[in-house]
Amino acid sequence: MTDTLPPCPECSSDLAYEMGALLVCPLCGHEWAAADVTLTADPGDASAERVITDAFGTVLADGDTVTVIKDLKVKGSSTVVKVGTKVRGIRLVDGVGDHDIDCKIDGVGAMQLKSSVVKKA
């Protein structure tokens, strides 16, 4: 089974195994999603080439201000992030699943957002 899994992008070990939706390397402890595997020769270059866009295709960068374009339920809470909420000073990250924006929202706190639910302000 391990011969069909890709090698670890951090240490190139071929001992990776599946744990739910993630792949895990037992040598270095790195976890990654199977869909995150890139076909480039150098995994370090893959993050530099990665371009994150908002829902309308505008390229986002660290420190940008974005606006939420749909109501978002906050998991584990009864609060909702309303349409039109401005989020200042975003950070682009490799989050869990499709969540690629790390931010702080006034009244809600720190959270991660999908770039598909925001537009650049």
Side-chain angles (χ1 to χ4, degrees):
M1 184 169 129
T2 57
D3 51 305
T4 61
L5 296 176
C8 175
E10 292 292 316
C11 68
S12 301
S13 168
D14 60 348
L15 301 175
Y17 63 91
E18 291 183 75
M19 186 171 67
L22 295 176
L23 297 175
V24 180
C25 176
L27 294 179
C28 67
H30 181 66
E31 298 179 352
W32 72 99
D36 289 346
V37 176
T38 60
L39 299 176
T40 59
D42 186 11
D45 291 343
S47 62
E49 295 174 9
R50 186 167 172 233
V51 175
I52 298 176
T53 59
D54 67 1
F56 300 104
T58 307
V59 177
L60 297 175
D62 284 344
D64 282 347
T65 299
V66 295
T67 305
V68 178
I69 62 170
K70 66 184 263 186
D71 284 344
L72 303 173
K73 295 179 186 175
V74 178
K75 195 171 191 176
S77 175
S78 61
T79 59
V80 175
V81 177
K82 297 285 189 177
V83 171
T85 301
K86 285 201 175 196
V87 181
R88 293 177 181 85
I90 64 169
R91 287 187 312 137
L92 303 179
V93 296
D94 290 328
V96 178
D98 295 338
H99 296 82
D100 44 17
I101 297 175
D102 195 24
C103 62
K104 254 187 184 175
I105 299 177
D106 293 336
V108 179
M111 64 186 309
Q112 289 188 344
L113 298 173
K114 294 182 179 182
S115 58
S116 61
V117 297
V118 299
K119 74 174 183 175
K120 190 170 182 176

